[in-house]
Amino acid sequence: MLSPVRFRPLITGLVAALAATFAVLVVHSGPAAAHGNVVSPASRNYGCFERWGSRFQDPAMATEDPMCWRAWQANPNAMWNWNGLFREGVAGRHETVIPDGQLCSAGRTESGRYNAMDAAGNWKTTSIGGSFTVSLFDGARHGADYIRVYVTKPGYDPVTSPLTWSDLELIKTVPNTPAAQWTRQLSNGVQIDIPASAAGRSGRAMVYTIWQASHSDQSYYFCSDVNFGGVTEPTTPPPSSPSTSVSPSTSTPPVAGSCVATHTVTSQWQGGFQGEIKVTAGSAAIKGWTVSLTYPGTPPIQQAWNAGLTVNGNTVQATNVSYNGGLAASGSTSFGFLASGGPAAPTITCAATS
């Protein structure tokens, strides 16, 4: 069980509004059984995470990226858990189970966490050409029973209309593809790059992707806002934690045991900060890790991603989640967290299972 801790960042303006939202949050383990998203053209919630994950408290979001601003206010966990937009038990009945107007939230899955993704509005777009690539990241290496890529029909306007099934045209189907056959084998998962074509299209549209993971009956649903007529940008794999505007100059010390963990403050504001813990395996591969963070007083951590947390007195124990426990010799992963107060460097220990 995770210990609930209220999040009260002492910031003004937009930040105060966000604080009111975060006040009801509890320390969580991040996405425990859901591990992927379309990273290019970026889905709505991954795009918001990519652009604002390291500065979600920045008032500029309200004017520069208003749809993301509304989504952060509605439920910040939709972005922190960017790889958790899935639904179980669909059994291939996508059009029956997911109602019109709720395609981007997977039918208001996860108790409504992703509802803001359904909102019609001026979401940021990715410029693409008539021939483009859909890049799907799979952090848990589930692979796919199948992947379907749709594009909205001419005349559909995502600025004014929520997405319905009749708005979509199927343009690509990828058959059963084990994770070992995906295009890119990455240290933190796999990625498949799917070529697609919508010749003759111009202007705004939406690319809709269904990923039927080869894991239980997990169906993932992603809405990507695009602008046909641009040039496709090179794709990169997603980060394991938010990118930051701070460039820490920390280095990983030599690993004397099974693993070592280092602490970095990546961003801070009045009344709070964001940190990252990097975990590095020793001279042998490991199957899992546990990092203990001991503070002089009450632990300041309020929320974390890519790790499961428990609190005991002045110690926070962070354990890997299902997709980032296995590390090759000298391999690394990381998890991030939000904390209250001023930056505090804990005493850190790391233990691993091999």
Side-chain angles (χ1 to χ4, degrees):
M1 296 293 292
L2 301 180
S3 301
V5 185
R6 299 177 72 82
F7 177 48
R8 298 171 179 161
L10 304 177
I11 42 185
T12 59
L14 169 64
V15 187
L18 288 174
T21 303
F22 274 111
V24 299
L25 295 179
V26 297
V27 173
H28 66 84
S29 64
H35 317 119
N37 208 318
V38 169
V39 298
S40 181
S43 71
R44 286 179 171 178
N45 67 325
Y46 179 71
C48 289
F49 169 84
E50 187 178 39
R51 292 189 295 274
W52 299 99
S54 65
R55 53 192 185 107
F56 65 91
Q57 74 276 14
D58 190 339
M61 188 188 340
T63 54
E64 293 179 12
D65 205 344
M67 296 308 293
C68 281
W69 178 72
R70 295 175 193 176
W72 279 102
Q73 287 191 308
N75 195 326
N77 278 322
M79 278 61 69
W80 295 130
N81 290 271
W82 54 265
N83 52 5
L85 212 170
F86 77 110
R87 192 179 186 94
E88 292 186 318
V90 176
R93 298 174 295 116
H94 307 291
E95 296 186 32
T96 300
V97 174
I98 310 298
D100 282 343
Q102 299 179 20
L103 276 68
C104 298
S105 69
R108 300 179 180 174
T109 191
E110 296 295 303
S111 301
R113 175 188 293 165
Y114 302 97
N115 286 6
M117 303 303 107
D118 289 322
N122 190 22
W123 292 87
K124 290 283 187 180
T125 62
T126 301
S127 293
I128 61 175
S131 296
F132 59 98
T133 300
V134 174
S135 296
L136 173 62
F137 173 74
D138 174 5
R141 303 178 189 272
H142 290 324
D145 287 343
Y146 56 83
I147 302 167
R148 296 174 184 169
V149 178
Y150 301 79
V151 68
T152 50
K153 299 173 182 177
Y156 170 73
D157 185 358
V159 175
T160 59
S161 303
L163 186 64
T164 69
W165 290 105
S166 63
D167 294 321
L168 296 173
E169 177 184 354
L170 180 65
I171 60 170
K172 183 78 174 188
T173 299
V174 178
N176 182 278
T177 310
Q181 297 177 16
W182 282 36
T183 313
R184 306 190 196 187
Q185 300 294 312
L186 309 169
S187 62
N188 61 338
V190 294
Q191 181 173 307
I192 188 168
D193 297 326
I194 306 166
S197 177
R201 295 296 304 273
S202 62
R204 290 198 65 139
M206 189 183 294
V207 173
Y208 188 64
T209 306
I210 298 177
W211 167 33
Q212 184 64 46
S214 299
H215 174 72
S216 300
D217 181 18
Q218 289 185 351
S219 305
Y220 296 71
Y221 303 88
F222 309 119
C223 286
S224 302
D225 293 273
V226 299
N227 183 25
F228 283 105
V231 177
T232 303
E233 297 295 328
T235 63
T236 57
S240 57
S241 60
S243 58
T244 68
S245 56
V246 179
S247 299
S249 58
T250 60
S251 59
T252 303
V255 181
S258 58
C259 64
V260 69
T262 55
H263 176 279
T264 301
V265 175
T266 58
S267 181
Q268 66 183 97
W269 54 92
Q270 183 181 356
F273 66 98
Q274 180 175 312
E276 181 179 82
I277 303 295
K278 181 179 180 181
V279 181
T280 303
S283 58
I286 62 175
K287 295 180 179 179
W289 47 262
T290 299
V291 174
S292 295
L293 311 172
T294 301
Y295 293 87
T298 301
I301 296 178
Q302 309 296 312
Q303 185 183 22
W305 50 94
N306 293 335
L309 300 187
T310 57
V311 179
N312 184 12
N314 64 338
T315 298
V316 176
Q317 190 172 76
T319 57
N320 64 274
V321 286
S322 60
Y323 53 85
N324 65 358
L327 296 176
S330 301
S332 296
T333 189
S334 62
F335 65 91
F337 63 87
L338 300 178
S340 59
T347 300
I348 306 177
T349 61
C350 184
T353 56
S354 57

